[in-house]
Amino acid sequence: MVWRHLWGGKVGICPPLSSAGRWRPTNRSVDPAGPGRVYGASFGPQATYSVFLSSSPNYFNHNCSFLNTFLKHYQHFNINSLLLESEFQSAKAFIQNSNTNQSNNDIFSISKILNKISNAFPETLKIITILLTLPVSSASNKRFFSSLKLVKTHLRLTMDDERVSDLLVIAMEKETASLINLNQAVDMFGAMKTRRYPVTA
């Protein structure tokens, strides 16, 4: 059972109290699919990823306990387990015939191969899509909102949402933004329409 505890003004998910009145340590983590949902170390994206890793003993094994737990957890996607069993067998054979370098098969290369005939593997591609869209961590999201107070200062309170969003992207993607040639960007902006005074860098 999971208890919600107010910790310094923040809501955290904690296990029940032990007999000594202390919080017991836990290896369970919060699932990004929904608030308050937790899963153990034997379940989660990292465990289900191994089904689509050719070096794993669970490679396309539909009988994995953590895969069954994953299907129950995401039951609102209506993944048919019977179809999944037959798809796994066909997909494994199809990948072996399509890919000569079988030792480096991962979820990305498998996704590209199966998407060539996506109608043949709908249930398998549902699982792959879920795994590829789940965030590994929320650090980048938290960093994005932490930079908001640096971008939107008291001198920039009149900015609209679109401009704030653009400035936040530039602030977060500093490495990519530093590669942009500003002179070329000004020339492109000046050539967008006819102007009374030419805009050049």
Side-chain angles (χ1 to χ4, degrees), residues 6-26:
L6 204 60
W7 237 345
K10 297 181 179 179
V11 175
I13 297 180
C14 308
L17 285 170
S18 64
S19 57
R22 299 175 181 174
W23 295 108
R24 290 199 302 262
T26 179

Side-chain angles (χ1 to χ4, degrees), residues 181-193 195 199-201:
N181 188 337
L182 296 180
N183 293 331
Q184 185 179 1
V186 170
D187 292 338
M188 290 176 62
F189 177 76
M192 288 174 64
K193 66 179 182 179
R195 302 174 187 277
V199 178
T200 56

Side-chain angles (χ1 to χ4, degrees), residues 38-160:
V38 296
Y39 46 72
S42 61
F43 166 66
Q46 66 275 15
T48 314
Y49 273 121
S50 64
V51 176
F52 303 102
L53 190 64
S54 57
S55 60
S56 170
N58 295 314
Y59 184 55
F60 278 104
N61 181 11
H62 65 278
N63 290 323
C64 296
S65 59
F66 53 80
L67 180 60
N68 294 327
T69 309
F70 182 89
L71 295 179
K72 291 177 182 177
H73 190 74
Y74 294 100
Q75 58 186 349
H76 55 279
F77 284 94
N78 298 322
I79 300 174
N80 191 323
S81 57
L82 296 177
L83 285 176
L84 190 65
E85 180 179 354
S86 60
E87 282 184 19
F88 269 22
Q89 297 174 359
S90 303
K92 189 174 182 179
F94 179 68
I95 291 168
Q96 288 175 349
N97 294 331
S98 301
N99 193 3
T100 54
N101 190 10
Q102 300 173 14
S103 60
N104 292 328
N105 281 340
D106 58 6
I107 191 169
F108 299 103
S109 60
I110 289 172
S111 175
K112 290 181 180 179
I113 295 172
L114 297 185
N115 271 305
K116 294 177 181 177
I117 48 173
S118 57
N119 293 333
F121 309 104
E123 307 303 315
T124 306
L125 288 173
K126 280 182 186 178
I127 298 177
I128 291 176
T129 304
I130 294 171
L131 292 173
L132 290 178
T133 52
L134 283 178
V136 177
S137 71
S138 61
S140 59
N141 298 333
K142 292 178 180 178
R143 197 180 304 119
F144 188 88
F145 288 105
S146 295
S147 61
L148 179 61
K149 63 180 72 172
L150 300 176
V151 172
K152 192 169 184 178
T153 61
H154 67 283
L155 297 176
R156 295 175 174 174
L157 291 178
T158 58
M159 287 191 302
D160 58 357

Side-chain angles (χ1 to χ4, degrees), residues 21-35:
R22 299 175 181 174
W23 295 108
R24 290 199 302 262
T26 179
N27 60 354
R28 296 194 290 182
S29 54
V30 179
D31 181 9

